[in-house]
Amino acid sequence: MRKTVIPVLLVFSLSAYAQETKKADTANTTKIEEVVVTSLGIKRQARSLTYSSQQIGGDELTAVKTPNFLNSISGKVSNVQINRTNGVGSSVRVLMRGNKSANSSQPLYVIDGIPIINGVGKAPEASQYSTMPDAGDVLSSINPDDIESMNFLKGASASALYGSMGGNGVILITTKKGKLGKSSITYNTSLTVDQAYSLPKLQHSYLSYDPAVSGQTPGISNESWGAKGASKDHLKDFLQNGTTWVNSLSFQSGTEKSTNYFSIGNTTNKGIVPSSYFDQYNVSFRNSSKYLNDKLTLDANFIGSLQNSVNRQTPGVSFSPLVSLYWLPRGVDFDQYNNSNYSYIDKTRLLPAQNWWAIGPDGKFNGNPATQNPYWILNRNKVTVNNKNTYSALSLAYQINPWLSARVRGNYSWNVTDSQRGVSAYSDPNLITSSGINGRLLQNKYENSSTYGDVLLVGSPKLSEDISLDFTVGGSINTSRNTITEIDNAYLSAPNLFTVSNLQWNVDRSVGDGFHHINYSTKKQIQSVFASASLGYKNMFYVDMTFRNDWDSTLAFTGTNGYDYESVGVNAVLSSIFKLPETINFWKIRGSYATVGLGLPANLTTATTPYNTAYGYIVDAGQILYPKYSLVTDPAFSELFVKPELNKTFEVGTELRLFKNRLNFDITYYNSKATNQLLPVTISSNLGGLPSGSYYVNAGKIQNTGFESSLSYKIFDSGKFGWTANLNGSTNKNKIVELFPDRLKVPENLPLALTGGGAYTKLKVGGSFGDIYGIKFLRDDQGRILVDADGKPLAEKNIGYLGNPNPKFMLGLGNTFNIGKLGISFLVDGKFGGKVLSLTEKANDMLGVSQTSASARDAGGVAIPNAVYAPGTPNAGAAYTGLTDAKVYYKAVGANQEGAGIDEAYIYSATTVRLRQASIAYTFDINSSYLRNTTVSIVGTNLFFFYKKAPFDPEQVSGNTPGGVGVDSFGIPITRSIGLSLKANF
């Protein structure tokens, strides 16, 4: 492929002759001829595309605003899965066409044709012991009012020109420009009230003690298996209604020579948890100017933001104020530990000490793990996250002749995420270590920067009246740098002074005892050449070809410096070839094949040569941290050398437009195979000369097959009444075809842990990406649950497969009605299939604080279907039809720590159908000297579920990582938002 594409391009470009500029950019009279933005920011006619592409307008992102505009995509684009993390400002996990990589399946983001790095901080895992929240990402800071449109390139053919960067698909973001004509000002504001719902169902009818027994008092036990009685719902009183206020002011002006767009914005959020808030400021500027008789076009762009948040919620038990209320022993009066009484001055040290029921007279904490006063966590274990993001770009385009232009472009993006938590003295000793009597400081600081530059030659020569050609030839260089600083120190000189200068490092300590100071930097550079050509014949047939070669610095010392990717696609416009019924306005069929991939992590290969060995490791407070996994360097095992991942994708599809273009339908089938996954493996025996040890190897194959479709129908289209319905659906089947080479003789039943999944999400041959594993019920050969003589269910000793959280089918249905100046819209989306695990419900049951445990007590016990007595019991093999004591049952299956209980009892259906968003808007035409019109809207998001069986929102994840999807580890509750918005055009 490499040897054929470039000569063909050169022949075409040399033999072509000048023609008038093609009508593609101005042919917007019908949707058939509409122009869309594709790879590298090149505009193409939609009819000529040989791959699936779906575009949404900026108005669809801002009709009902969310603080992170990526959340507004849910249900609007087929086969795009959105997972939220923990609250406003947190990052969003975006997945297109299934999971393809064990390292990262996140797409590439491109702003105005130029790629950016969507930098994120350290993500929490699906663990009960997380210490820091999700820190957010760059995309969460972009003002949605600045976005003109977004185009989703989901397949490898569409993103092949981006090479390894676009291996998981590409999201193209086009920002607004100034417009020719009179200057204008637009003001947007929205104020919504956020209310928590779908909370864990807790009981308040059983106490933690028995008032009839002498000496028993509230809190005598950290569990609530006591006598019948009434207790107050303190969680309901603790949570508050949050508010989100978003303001944006934009100015635009334009002449025939220059256009300008400028905006400023602010987002302020008060969370549903007291003393939690988020503040963000945005600014953007874009100028487009023409020089040299309009032959030279300069486009400059700047986007910047500042984010500050306090007490962003952290998943897990350790620093969650909500868990302390979930587990509050019933009968304990939380009001005596409120915000004005959560601490007192300890006279021995003259320091604030914690006031909490779980702290005994000796100062020791009850419970495993112990809880803390929620207000102590919020005030004395406070966490702050401060983010700064800037993006600047410059593009020069010169029209050499009517059919050929040259472009030089570049950008620089920089972001820093600084998260810090101070853990005060008198906190739970398990959180500050036995020696940390003065407190503990945790800090994660991630600084990311990238520079990108490319040179393009873009042409549309006229070969003949029947044959058209569009081509692009160019090269690029992309450099990214990351600096990571992680501090964890429980040896403060002065108590409760949370500064780096107050930390002690030269102290005697045990390994890992609250003592980490990691600082390291990485650098990665990709140098590329690429070319693409699109041949058309009579606007009926089109052939696309792309070629790209990347020279990647992450392959240093591996013997392979670069790799190439290719794609080829064809389409036929049947409505132009054949005479079809008048009801069919447009019909196209298309097919494509492409290979793209992903590079290696930065600095991974520097340890392959002795000189670089010392510089390939990480230093922690003066101690070298040797990597757990090394690289295979023995030439006899060359097939195990590290190499880039490779994704081969085939897709076919068709597009139909009917009834005077009122009905549009698109469907695509795809099959992708991602190979050469970078996987860690431990070899316990010498295999033909390869020593025992732990290695990184490139192996494995992940396959995704599926369908995606979208349908839009203008049911009514008149000035007085309009009704447009949009429907999109998709299905994806993921399969782990293979993991490790047969030569390594790794057992096929060995599950491989996924990053961010804690002890639960793993890969296994024959399974699917993100499979959840845990402890299962012990069963006999017939699948019946085994119980002991008391009816207590027994557990398997080893973990087993529990289910996969990814939906089997996704559906989005949107309707928009226009009645004169009144607009009504709503969006319903559903995700069908999949299984999820709730660690929250598991712990609540064991402690007797769940409504499930109270209902079981009311019913006289728990019925266990399809159960028999276990071997060795008096009634071995006989059916068990009795009721198991509620406490016995839930103490057996529940647990508040990993590796205990029976996880299988807490697997739920992930199917949900919800009213995602709705709005009612009315536009007032003012037409005064200053104000043209204004639109007032009532808006709502996440209003309610039509169907949900899980005790939490299955969309929520702990962090933006490959693992952790479908595992609820005490995450923040979902919120519904209802409010007003105003848009005024001056």
Side-chain angles (χ1 to χ4, degrees):
M1 192 72 175
R2 182 192 308 182
K3 296 180 180 179
T4 58
V5 174
I6 292 181
V8 168
L9 287 174
L10 293 176
V11 170
F12 284 153
S13 62
L14 291 173
S15 62
Y17 54 90
Q19 66 163 358
E20 293 182 0
T21 302
K22 298 179 74 174
K23 297 181 180 181
D25 288 339
T26 57
N28 291 317
T29 55
T30 68
K31 287 190 174 181
I32 297 175
E33 304 298 331
E34 70 184 356
V35 174
V36 296
V37 178
T38 63
S39 293
L40 301 176
I42 307 300
K43 292 182 178 180
R44 294 272 304 277
Q45 282 187 319
R47 68 181 296 147
S48 70
L49 300 183
T50 61
Y51 48 78
S52 172
S53 171
Q54 191 168 352
Q55 181 170 300
I56 61 175
D59 290 343
E60 296 182 65
L61 300 175
T62 57
V64 181
K65 289 185 179 179
T66 58
N68 188 328
F69 75 91
L70 290 176
N71 285 312
S72 300
I73 298 170
S74 290
K76 297 178 181 177
V77 183
S78 64
N79 221 345
V80 176
Q81 184 177 340
I82 306 294
N83 294 102
R84 67 184 182 90
T85 53
N86 279 285
V88 176
S90 298
S91 63
V92 174
R93 181 179 183 270
V94 180
L95 189 68
M96 299 197 292
R97 290 187 177 178
N99 293 278
K100 307 176 189 67
S101 173
N103 297 296
S104 175
S105 292
Q106 288 278 71
L108 172 70
Y109 295 92
V110 176
I111 297 179
D112 298 325
I114 308 178
I116 70 165
I117 303 298
N118 186 31
V120 296
K122 187 176 183 179
E125 294 197 351
S127 167
Q128 296 196 34
Y129 306 104
S130 296
T131 58
M132 299 291 269
D134 180 277
D137 55 11
V138 173
L139 267 296
S140 67
S141 67
I142 293 180
N143 184 357
D145 287 319
D146 295 337
I147 296 176
E148 184 72 31
S149 65
M150 295 178 66
N151 197 9
F152 295 80
L153 308 181
K154 291 170 280 190
S157 296
S159 61
L161 270 183
Y162 288 108
S164 60
M165 295 185 297
N168 293 318
V170 178
I171 297 179
L172 304 175
I173 300 172
T174 302
T175 61
K176 290 181 179 178
K177 286 184 175 181
K179 296 180 179 179
L180 179 66
K182 184 179 179 180
S183 299
S184 63
I185 296 175
T186 300
Y187 173 64
N188 290 277
T189 183
S190 69
L191 178 63
T192 58
V193 177
D194 311 320
Q195 183 183 50
Y197 76 111
S198 193
L199 291 160
K201 294 181 179 179
L202 305 175
Q203 66 90 5
H204 303 283
S205 57
Y206 286 89
L207 305 174
S208 60
Y209 69 107
D210 188 346
V213 177
S214 176
Q216 288 201 5
T217 57
I220 192 172
S221 170
N222 65 323
E223 301 176 356
S224 295
W225 291 105
K228 189 84 172 176
S231 61
K232 188 178 178 181
D233 185 356
H234 295 289
L235 177 64
K236 183 179 180 180
D237 294 338
F238 177 78
L239 292 174
Q240 62 186 19
N241 286 334
T243 56
T244 302
W245 191 18
V246 182
N247 290 280
S248 176
L249 181 68
S250 64
F251 167 81
Q252 57 180 331
S253 64
T255 65
E256 293 183 354
K257 294 295 183 179
S258 181
T259 62
N260 293 281
Y261 177 87
F262 173 77
S263 77
I264 55 175
N266 169 249
T267 299
T268 300
N269 169 264
K270 183 185 73 172
I272 59 173
V273 174
S275 76
S276 64
Y277 65 85
F278 169 85
D279 213 6
Q280 174 175 288
Y281 296 90
N282 305 83
V283 62
S284 71
F285 172 74
R286 187 172 183 183
N287 170 269
S288 184
S289 302
K290 295 181 179 180
Y291 304 93
L292 304 178
N293 295 323
D294 296 345
K295 289 187 175 182
L296 179 65
T297 301
L298 180 148
D299 198 347
N301 196 0
F302 175 82
I303 300 173
S305 70
L306 296 174
Q307 290 182 346
N308 300 291
S309 69
V310 175
N311 285 329
R312 184 178 297 179
Q313 296 306 291
T314 303
V317 174
S318 302
F319 294 103
S320 170
L322 301 184
V323 174
S324 296
L325 290 170
Y326 296 164
W327 295 358
L328 183 71
R330 301 306 185 247
V332 172
D333 183 12
F334 178 65
D335 292 336
Q336 63 180 309
Y337 306 107
N338 59 25
N339 199 25
S340 60
N341 196 33
Y342 69 88
S343 68
Y344 63 94
I345 299 299
D346 176 37
K347 296 181 180 179
T348 60
R349 301 188 65 192
L350 297 179
L351 293 175
Q354 185 173 176
N355 183 26
W356 188 230
W357 73 268
I359 306 175
D362 56 358
K364 294 183 178 180
F365 281 69
N366 301 319
N368 181 28
T371 64
Q372 299 191 104
N373 188 314
Y375 291 107
W376 178 272
I377 294 173
L378 296 172
N379 291 284
R380 295 293 178 179
N381 296 167
K382 183 184 296 184
V383 61
T384 60
V385 180
N386 299 312
N387 296 340
K388 300 175 183 178
N389 305 299
T390 62
Y391 168 84
S392 55
L394 185 67
S395 174
L396 288 171
Y398 185 77
Q399 196 70 37
I400 300 173
N401 58 42
W403 59 269
L404 183 66
S405 66
R407 305 181 187 183
V408 180
R409 309 180 305 180
N411 73 4
Y412 175 76
S413 59
W414 173 85
N415 73 282
V416 60
T417 295
D418 190 353
S419 306
Q420 180 171 308
R421 183 189 296 276
V423 185
S424 294
Y426 294 94
S427 296
D428 176 9
N430 290 317
L431 302 179
I432 54 178
T433 77
S434 58
S435 302
I437 60 173
N438 287 338
R440 176 186 179 188
L441 173 68
L442 297 106
Q443 184 183 71
N444 293 332
K445 187 174 182 179
Y446 284 65
E447 183 176 0
N448 310 295
S449 66
S450 69
T451 55
Y452 175 90
D454 63 25
V455 178
L456 305 177
L457 195 63
V458 182
S460 300
K462 182 178 180 181
L463 302 182
S464 70
E465 292 297 328
D466 295 332
I467 300 175
S468 64
L469 170 67
D470 294 287
F471 72 86
T472 303
V473 180
S476 68
I477 182 169
N478 185 19
T479 305
S480 59
R481 296 175 174 85
N482 304 279
T483 300
I484 293 92
T485 301
E486 297 180 5
I487 295 176
D488 185 351
N489 190 307
Y491 297 92
L492 279 64
S493 295
N496 299 342
L497 179 60
F498 303 111
T499 63
V500 175
S501 60
N502 188 45
L503 303 179
Q504 301 178 74
W505 297 105
N506 296 321
V507 293
D508 293 331
R509 61 179 180 84
S510 57
V511 177
D513 180 19
F515 192 94
H516 295 289
H517 188 181
I518 299 173
N519 184 285
Y520 64 96
S521 299
T522 64
K523 179 181 177 181
K524 177 178 179 177
Q525 186 175 95
I526 300 176
Q527 301 173 4
S528 311
V529 294
F530 45 80
S532 70
S534 177
L535 276 170
Y537 177 71
K538 290 186 175 182
N539 287 332
M540 297 187 299
F541 300 98
Y542 294 91
V543 178
D544 280 352
M545 295 175 289
T546 69
F547 166 82
R548 177 174 174 129
N549 194 92
D550 287 350
W551 289 275
D552 195 331
S553 66
T554 64
L555 296 175
F557 310 113
T558 65
T560 302
N561 295 324
Y563 40 88
D564 58 76
Y565 305 118
E566 298 85 21
S567 74
V568 60
V570 296
N571 82 32
V573 182
L574 301 182
S575 54
S576 297
I577 301 173
F578 305 105
K579 183 174 178 59
L580 301 176
E582 291 185 1
T583 55
I584 302 177
N585 306 110
F586 180 75
W587 186 14
K588 178 179 76 174
I589 58 174
R590 61 178 184 265
S592 62
Y593 177 82
T595 60
V596 296
L598 291 172
L600 299 172
N603 290 26
L604 179 70
T605 63
T606 55
T608 57
T609 61
Y611 177 80
N612 290 280
T613 296
Y615 302 98
Y617 300 147
I618 296 174
V619 177
D620 182 1
Q623 295 184 355
I624 293 179
L625 298 181
Y626 294 95
K628 183 178 179 181
Y629 299 95
S630 59
L631 305 179
V632 178
T633 57
D634 188 343
F637 294 85
S638 57
E639 72 273 22
L640 302 180
F641 288 1
V642 291
K643 58 182 74 71
E645 295 182 18
L646 190 63
N647 180 14
K648 300 179 179 180
T649 299
F650 166 74
E651 72 172 63
V652 291
T654 187
E655 182 180 351
L656 273 168
R657 300 176 190 260
L658 309 171
F659 312 126
K660 297 181 180 179
N661 294 314
R662 289 173 61 182
L663 189 150
N664 303 323
F665 176 70
D666 192 300
I667 187 170
T668 302
Y669 165 80
Y670 60 90
N671 185 320
S672 72
K673 294 180 181 179
T675 58
N676 299 335
Q677 304 283 316
L678 184 66
L679 304 174
V681 60
T682 299
I683 300 171
S684 57
S685 60
N686 192 291
L687 296 175
L690 184 64
S692 302
S694 298
Y695 298 93
Y696 275 122
V697 298
N698 281 97
K701 181 184 295 184
I702 298 178
Q703 180 176 344
N704 285 277
T705 57
F707 289 90
E708 59 194 27
S709 61
S710 61
L711 183 147
S712 176
Y713 186 34
K714 290 184 178 179
I715 302 172
F716 295 99
D717 188 18
S718 67
K720 294 183 178 180
F721 179 68
W723 176 13
T724 301
N726 295 284
L727 178 70
N728 66 77
S730 62
T731 179
N732 183 77
K733 183 179 181 181
N734 179 282
K735 184 178 180 180
I736 310 300
V737 179
E738 60 183 58
L739 280 179
F740 300 106
D742 294 337
R743 187 175 182 183
L744 290 181
K745 302 189 184 309
V746 177
E748 288 191 359
N749 61 354
L750 176 69
L752 179 70
L754 273 175
T755 301
Y760 300 100
T761 56
K762 303 179 185 297
L763 296 178
K764 185 179 177 181
V765 174
S768 298
F769 197 101
D771 283 345
I772 299 174
Y773 284 77
I775 300 174
K776 304 181 69 174
F777 286 107
L778 183 64
R779 301 174 184 267
D780 64 8
D781 294 339
Q782 300 180 42
R784 297 176 297 183
I785 296 174
L786 297 178
V787 300
D788 66 9
D790 297 324
K792 181 177 70 175
L794 304 179
E796 290 274 7
K797 293 183 179 179
N798 300 317
I799 63 171
Y801 171 75
L802 298 176
N804 186 279
N806 295 301
K808 295 181 179 179
F809 182 71
M810 295 190 294
L811 183 72
L813 173 62
N815 283 272
T816 302
F817 303 88
N818 295 299
I819 308 170
K821 297 176 182 179
L822 177 68
I824 302 172
S825 68
F826 65 87
L827 173 66
V828 176
D829 78 285
K831 293 180 173 62
F832 303 89
K835 300 290 184 180
V836 291
L837 170 67
S838 177
L839 302 181
T840 307
E841 195 73 11
K842 185 180 177 185
N844 291 349
D845 278 354
M846 191 211 73
L847 295 172
V849 297
S850 66
Q851 180 56 49
T852 303
S853 68
S855 298
R857 280 174 271 188
D858 292 340
V862 179
I864 305 176
N866 195 29
V868 297
Y869 286 99
T873 60
N875 299 312
Y880 176 69
T881 58
L883 295 177
T884 303
D885 178 76
K887 183 176 181 180
V888 170
Y889 179 83
Y890 288 115
K891 294 282 280 187
V893 299
N896 58 2
Q897 55 186 333
E898 296 174 0
I902 301 178
D903 299 307
E904 185 182 358
Y906 297 95
I907 287 290
Y908 304 89
S909 169
T911 298
T912 58
V913 181
R914 77 184 80 199
L915 181 58
R916 175 72 64 177
Q917 65 179 46
S919 69
I920 301 174
Y922 191 85
T923 300
F924 299 90
D925 290 328
I926 310 298
N927 293 322
S928 68
S929 301
Y930 302 101
L931 181 62
R932 289 184 292 138
N933 57 64
T934 182
T935 301
V936 179
S937 306
I938 302 173
V939 297
T941 58
N942 283 323
L943 293 172
F944 58 85
F945 288 93
F946 295 102
Y947 181 91
K948 181 176 74 73
K949 292 296 184 181
F952 66 101
D953 183 4
E955 278 188 2
Q956 180 176 300
V957 295
S958 295
N960 200 337
T961 57
V965 178
V967 180
D968 168 37
S969 182
F970 305 95
I972 190 171
I974 187 173
T975 58
R976 66 165 58 92
S977 302
I978 301 175
L980 297 172
S981 71
L982 169 71
K983 180 178 182 179
N985 294 307
F986 298 89

